[in-house]
Amino acid sequence: MAQIKAPRGTQDLLPADSYKWKYVESTLMAIGESFGFKELRTPVFESTDLFERGVGDTTDVVQKEMYTFEDKGGRSITLRPEGTAGAVRAAVEHGLLNDALPLKLSYLTSCYRYEKPQAGRLREFHQFGVECLGTASPMADAQLILFASRIFDAFGVEGISLEINSIGCPKCRAEYHKALKAYFEAHIDSLCDTCKGRLEKNPMRILDCKNPECKKIAHGAPVILDYLCEDCKDHFEKVKDYLDIADIPYKINPRIVRGLDYYTKTVFEFVSDAIGAQGTVLGGGRYDGLVEELGGKSVPALGFAMGLERLMLLLEAGKFAFPAAATPDIYFCSIGENALKVALTLADELTADGFHAEIDILGRSLKAQMKYANKIGAKYTAVIGDDDIENGVLNIKNMETGETIQSDFLGFADTFENEYLAYIEKKEFSNYTDFGVEEDG
Ligand code: HAM
């Protein structure tokens, strides 16, 4: 029968890599917690209206990239293309904004966009995102950017640059839209059909169209920074001031408009040139109108999301030293049926105590079991034969040192635990002293 392949633009995460992802994800969530963000989980699919209203019906994401379908009940459903709209919907729906503010939410989610796949651009991808709702202070913008930058520090990422911009508020945008319209009208014949449609409704969206001809024209367009109202200007100045105080280097890039409609005032991106054309690893900004747009009160908010596939590419490019994958604590080699039954019981006792214990479930020879135990990196082995069962005593071998200790069957779990903890402690101590010697030398 013909083999079935994973859909284009999706990736399987195999065991050889999944432990790295687990490490990265738990590190990200822990950094989030240290900044006060708590995890939120929302459904992978939402009502299509949520994204049409939240992300904006003139964006590339909504117009061209959404996975939308009718369910069996005739509802229009969309796989989430991003995490912010769902997070805001959940916050409004569950009255989370009635509690003490700011509300700080974090998430790890899969997202779906029908884009042309290439390195760092997938149709199913993953984001670590955070949303902070209930604050209009520019200090919140600066601290959020600082948080993002601390993530890269935590992974020792070098050569990543922070680009910031302000895209104003609906007040200053009215003037800007007029200027943009005038500019693009002069080039209307060269715009793609989607952008011709955007000219009336939302000319800012032409600025991030991926069509090469539109891109070329957009390059000469007026920039929003020249049109900011006093309030937006003041906000942006303060964000920059706080970033300077926090010693976070940034570049002002007046061409950043972001691809989603909800943004107001500060927007930012962390960009790397180490991972090819899709260099934006993290993007975010303020979205002061979104909560109200989605049926909540008028609550200012901001957030960011980081593409995990892009972060992994960056870590691989920088030869990041991931902690080693976990290996079994003990492998029970058994000779014969009776021994295998004993192995089953002992391993069960140890796994109940939180150890990773394995037994032979393939019916291999003793030699092959030993070879396998070595291959999977078991820290200890115990060989069980008929004699051992008769004597009621087992040898436990430390595979690194070759040392062996004895245990009776009844006290096996306790003996193993004591031996294991003593060994780990000794190892940690010797790592510590080795480190000291290296430092001194
Ligand atoms: P975004 O810029 O659309 O923003 O996506 C955030 C990040 O997700 C990007 O910087 C990139 O790393 C990753 N990403 C986006 N599309 C793809 C793709 N097709 N394949 C792989 N990675 C991708 C948002 O989604 C906003 N919700 C961020 C935000 C949160 N703003 C405020 N709060």
Side-chain angles (χ1 to χ4, degrees):
M1 275 230 261
Q3 217 186 333
I4 299 172
K5 297 257 168 76
R8 187 164 143 76
T10 68
Q11 268 177 2
D12 295 310
L13 182 56
L14 303 179
D17 288 317
S18 59
Y19 75 94
K20 298 180 189 167
W21 277 70
K22 216 167 133 188
Y23 169 78
V24 166
E25 288 172 347
S26 59
T27 306
L28 291 170
M29 290 309 266
I31 301 174
E33 271 173 35
S34 67
F35 279 87
F37 288 80
K38 300 218 166 79
E39 187 179 6
L40 169 77
R41 297 189 191 188
T42 60
V44 71
F45 60 86
E46 297 268 3
S47 173
T48 302
D49 312 352
L50 175 70
F51 303 113
E52 284 174 348
R53 257 209 272 163
V55 172
D57 57 6
T58 50
T59 58
D60 262 10
V61 169
V62 170
Q63 288 188 320
K64 302 179 184 166
E65 297 167 1
M66 291 206 307
Y67 279 88
T68 298
F69 58 95
E70 199 172 278
D71 72 5
K72 292 194 194 320
R75 304 168 196 90
S76 180
I77 294 292
T78 294
L79 301 186
R80 66 175 160 233
E82 57 100 54
T84 309
V88 171
R89 189 228 6 98
V92 172
E93 188 170 335
H94 300 287
L96 303 187
L97 294 162
N98 302 328
D99 289 342
L101 297 177
L103 173 66
K104 292 178 168 184
L105 306 168
S106 61
Y107 51 85
L108 284 165
T109 53
S110 56
C111 297
Y112 303 85
R113 296 185 193 175
Y114 192 81
E115 292 193 81
K116 201 164 173 218
Q118 62 179 86
R121 196 206 272 158
L122 290 120
R123 291 182 174 167
E124 180 187 62
F125 60 98
H126 298 81
Q127 286 186 344
F128 166 69
V130 296
E131 312 296 347
C132 176
L133 296 95
T135 167
S137 163
M139 182 53 90
D141 307 36
Q143 203 204 14
L144 195 79
I145 293 172
L146 173 104
F147 168 12
S149 128
R150 291 293 171 253
I151 294 177
F152 294 108
D153 293 347
F155 289 105
V157 170
E158 285 174 0
I160 188 116
S161 55
L162 163 64
E163 301 187 355
I164 62 170
N165 190 21
S166 173
I167 56 169
C169 64
K171 201 168 101 198
C172 40
R173 236 179 261 167
E175 274 307 298
Y176 180 54
H177 277 185
K178 268 192 226 158
L180 269 187
K181 244 179 94 183
Y183 173 80
F184 284 122
E185 258 161 9
H187 298 86
I188 191 152
D189 292 341
S190 315
L191 293 178
C192 74
D193 286 345
T194 318
C195 285
K196 279 182 187 140
R198 286 165 169 167
L199 194 56
E200 271 310 311
K201 247 183 126 182
N202 193 354
M204 256 176 92
R205 287 281 64 94
I206 303 174
L207 297 174
D208 59 3
C209 180
K210 291 180 186 109
N211 179 300
E213 203 48 41
C214 298
K215 263 188 167 170
K216 219 190 285 165
I217 299 166
H219 209 72
V223 294
I224 178 96
L225 276 184
D226 296 334
Y227 292 81
L228 293 186
C229 66
E230 281 313 308
D231 180 36
C232 289
K233 235 188 247 172
D234 181 55
H235 187 96
F236 196 43
E237 286 309 312
K238 285 196 170 122
V239 174
K240 289 190 284 178
D241 187 30
Y242 296 146
L243 288 177
D244 290 337
I245 288 168
D247 214 10
I248 305 287
Y250 59 85
K251 262 197 308 233
I252 295 170
N253 180 351
R255 308 243 160 242
I256 296 182
V257 285
R258 310 279 299 130
L260 314 157
D261 264 356
Y262 46 65
Y263 290 110
T264 53
K265 294 187 174 164
T266 319
V267 287
F268 55 91
E269 290 181 351
F270 282 79
V271 189
S272 164
D273 52 17
I275 56 169
Q278 302 303 312
T280 308
V281 183
L282 182 152
R286 185 164 270 290
Y287 50 89
D288 289 343
L290 183 62
V291 180
E292 200 174 8
E293 181 68 42
L294 295 180
K297 332 181 246 203
S298 168
V299 173
L302 65 164
F304 68 71
M306 166 179 239
L308 294 187
E309 284 79 5
R310 293 188 193 174
L311 175 64
M312 293 311 280
L313 286 177
L314 199 57
L315 297 186
E316 303 282 355
K319 308 229 174 323
F320 180 76
F322 289 97
T327 56
D329 295 318
I330 184 161
Y331 187 91
F332 289 99
C333 302
S334 47
I335 311 163
E337 183 67 8
N338 281 342
L340 185 58
K341 287 177 187 163
V342 172
L344 175 72
T345 317
L346 292 179
D348 184 41
E349 219 178 311
L350 287 183
T351 43
D353 285 348
F355 288 101
H356 174 179
E358 303 245 3
I359 62 172
D360 172 43
I361 51 170
L362 245 81
R364 287 180 165 119
S365 69
L366 177 63
K367 198 172 154 206
Q369 288 180 52
M370 289 301 283
K371 211 169 144 192
Y372 179 68
N374 254 319
K375 188 167 178 222
I376 60 177
K379 297 181 192 81
Y380 287 86
T381 53
V383 180
I384 313 174
D386 287 339
D387 287 355
D388 305 299
I389 298 173
E390 211 161 284
N391 300 334
V393 174
L394 269 187
N395 289 323
I396 310 171
K397 183 176 175 188
N398 182 317
M399 298 295 280
E400 196 176 68
T401 63
E403 285 165 16
T404 303
I405 60 156
Q406 285 202 329
S407 169
D408 56 32
F409 276 68
L410 279 180
F412 187 85
D414 285 343
T415 311
F416 180 71
E417 189 164 343
N418 288 337
E419 157 65 22
Y420 184 89
L421 292 178
Y423 176 64
I424 295 293
E425 204 171 296
K426 201 165 121 196
K427 214 170 149 168
E428 271 169 13
F429 182 70
S430 87
N431 283 346
Y432 176 75
T433 46
D434 284 354
F435 179 67
V437 169
E438 255 179 45
E439 283 273 284
D440 290 347

